[in-house]
Amino acid sequence: MSKINLTEEELAKLLEAVNGGFEPPREIAWKLFPSLAEEIRLKGEFDFSSLNRIKIPTIEYKSKRPEGYILASANLLGQSAPLQVVRRFGEPGEDGWQNLIIQGDNLQFLKTVYLNQDPLVKDKVKGKVKLIYIDPPFATKSDFQGGDGTKSYSDKINTAEFLENLRERLIFMREALAEDGSIYVHCDWRMNSHIRLVLEEVFGTDQNRAEIIWKRASAHSDSAAFGQVHECILYFSKGKKTVWNAPLTDYEEWYVERYYRYSDEDGRKFMSGDISAKGLSGGGYRYTWKGCEGLWRCPESKMRELDEAGRVYYTQNGIPRFKRFLDEMEGRPVQSLWDDIQSVVSWAQEKEEYPTQKPEALLERIIR
């Protein structure tokens, strides 16, 4: 936080303005809010929506720059770095967009998208991206090599530089996202709390949707501490409403054994579900079914239809229950602990000689 240097005369004018309930002179206001003055000088305007983000906790570090300065830096790029397409996927859509792999520095690409001038992305990407997943370095202070010994990347920059490099990119990513878009940031225990604060500063605390814990190993030999067997994926949205297709996964074996413990003559497993309307808001249907008087969820005609279809199970006391067959269930909603996706092991067919490769199943779940 930079120090505010006001003269005695300026302090007197500020006090007079506060006590009088009117605005202080502009030259004093600029000294009070230097980052605001810098943004207006660079952009000619101020993004007042960013005022909402001032009220949230932020992380301060050396060389942290105003957001307006970062966005204005894109203009320095101009048209000097045309996008280099490596591969195209599928047929172009109605708007001419075609899925691409682009080679180059990711920050320069994000600036190109923000400028919205390159013919390849003009009016097709900025503000329209539905999903971003990034797997940045984890600030491990290590160099990573591929299987053939060649250097993959260095992860040795200090904390302040690491955070500012990431924050700069996140600001441009926010501008690329659609209002209902989402971003997933992969990290681990080293920088989790720092990155979360940066994300909340850029996107807002209300857009913090979840922290996903991915269990990537069953055990890890750390002689001086607890074994680190998981990584984190921080999930944020750009706006209050976002695209959400609830992911499902197979039921675990213990769950099936505990809850789907009944079987029909044909071997179909089912769960015994309540068919009574006791405690159900809105009432129910009162009648006697096969000697059992009660308040039921469905009318007698529907009960007869279910019974004839073999969907009613009777307890030892003759109480009817509804059969919920396992093979008709779509699956179990995925929770925030992901322990069913294996990391890329040495014998995996998808394995490339890249030291921090993530499994395709992990990305598939996020994309779906």
Side-chain angles (χ1 to χ4, degrees):
M1 186 72 69
S2 58
K3 184 178 180 180
I4 299 173
N5 294 312
L6 295 178
T7 65
E8 292 295 330
E9 181 181 359
E10 288 170 334
L11 284 171
K13 289 182 179 180
L14 177 60
L15 184 61
E16 181 183 359
V18 172
N19 290 333
F22 52 85
E23 292 184 3
R26 175 169 292 189
E27 61 272 13
I28 296 179
W30 282 170
K31 285 189 175 183
L32 289 173
F33 306 103
S35 60
L36 174 60
E38 178 68 9
E39 179 164 350
I40 291 177
R41 183 183 71 80
L42 291 169
K43 298 177 62 179
E45 60 181 6
F46 177 66
D47 176 15
F48 284 94
S49 65
S50 65
L51 287 173
N52 294 326
R53 297 190 287 273
I54 294 176
K55 300 177 183 178
I56 66 174
T58 59
I59 183 169
E60 298 297 330
Y61 46 84
K62 184 179 179 181
S63 302
K64 184 176 181 180
R65 295 164 296 167
E67 189 174 298
Y69 178 88
I70 290 174
L71 291 172
S73 68
N75 291 307
L76 299 176
L77 172 65
Q79 290 290 341
S80 61
L83 299 177
Q84 303 297 315
V85 179
V86 175
R87 189 173 173 185
R88 299 174 184 267
F89 297 85
E91 297 297 324
E94 293 181 359
D95 62 352
W97 173 255
Q98 191 173 18
N99 293 328
L100 308 168
I101 289 182
I102 305 251
Q103 179 179 348
D105 180 84
N106 57 56
L107 179 58
Q108 298 307 318
F109 169 75
L110 289 168
K111 288 181 177 181
T112 300
V113 169
Y114 176 74
L115 287 174
N116 198 30
Q117 297 171 352
D118 191 294
L120 195 64
V121 297
K122 182 174 174 59
D123 299 331
K124 299 173 185 175
V125 179
K126 185 178 181 181
K128 297 183 178 182
V129 175
K130 296 291 187 178
L131 172 67
I132 295 176
Y133 166 86
I134 60 171
D135 181 19
F138 288 0
T140 61
K141 303 190 185 308
S142 305
D143 287 324
F144 288 91
Q145 294 182 337
D148 57 358
T150 57
K151 182 177 178 180
S152 293
Y153 66 92
S154 179
D155 191 13
K156 287 187 174 181
I157 60 177
N158 61 47
T159 300
E161 185 180 0
F162 172 87
L163 289 175
E164 186 63 0
N165 284 346
L166 180 59
R167 174 174 168 267
E168 182 177 20
R169 287 158 175 80
L170 289 172
I171 288 171
F172 283 110
M173 289 179 200
R174 184 193 67 213
E175 300 301 307
L177 278 174
E179 287 303 314
D180 60 354
S182 302
I183 181 169
Y184 292 74
V185 180
H186 202 130
C187 59
D188 71 359
W189 58 274
R190 296 176 182 87
M191 299 300 293
N192 181 315
S193 57
H194 299 72
I195 294 174
R196 185 196 303 271
L197 281 176
V198 172
L199 282 164
E200 289 187 348
E201 179 183 337
V202 173
F203 291 93
T205 54
D206 291 342
Q207 313 321 322
N208 185 348
R209 298 284 176 169
E211 176 186 29
I212 299 163
I213 302 299
W214 173 45
K215 185 180 178 183
R216 59 176 173 78
S218 57
H220 194 274
S221 180
D222 293 319
S223 58
F226 293 107
Q228 296 290 341
V229 298
H230 80 278
E231 291 175 0
C232 312
I233 304 174
L234 303 175
Y235 163 38
F236 277 70
S237 63
K238 182 175 181 179
K240 293 182 179 180
K241 294 183 178 180
T242 187
V243 175
W244 176 251
N245 301 306
L248 301 171
T249 188
D250 293 336
Y251 292 108
E252 296 180 61
E253 186 175 343
W254 68 266
Y255 183 87
V256 173
E257 291 178 356
R258 178 179 298 179
Y259 294 102
Y260 288 89
R261 59 182 185 272
Y262 304 103
S263 297
D264 260 355
E265 294 180 356
D266 57 2
R268 294 180 71 192
K269 289 183 175 294
F270 66 87
M271 175 193 295
S272 171
D274 191 5
I275 203 170
S276 74
K278 292 180 179 179
L280 189 69
S281 61
Y285 303 87
R286 183 170 295 280
Y287 54 89
T288 301
W289 177 257
K290 292 192 175 181
C292 187
E293 182 181 356
L295 189 65
W296 311 105
R297 297 188 179 212
C298 57
E300 188 172 358
S301 58
K302 182 64 176 179
M303 181 76 85
R304 183 176 298 105
E305 180 183 329
L306 292 173
D307 190 48
E308 292 174 353
R311 300 303 300 252
V312 179
Y313 165 76
Y314 295 92
T315 67
Q316 292 180 347
N317 296 327
I319 299 174
R321 305 271 295 176
F322 181 68
K323 293 182 182 179
R324 302 185 186 277
F325 288 104
L326 176 62
D327 57 18
E328 293 179 346
M329 298 295 103
E330 293 182 342
R332 173 176 62 91
V334 173
Q335 308 298 303
S336 60
L337 173 61
W338 294 5
D339 58 357
D340 57 341
I341 297 178
Q342 189 178 41
S343 60
V344 183
V345 293
S346 58
W347 59 86
Q349 290 186 345
E350 67 185 81
K351 181 176 177 58
E352 302 287 345
E353 297 302 329
Y354 192 77
T356 58
Q357 180 183 350
K358 301 303 185 291
E360 292 178 4
L362 184 73
L363 275 295
E364 181 178 357
R365 175 171 291 174
I366 291 174
I367 292 169
R368 287 186 181 278

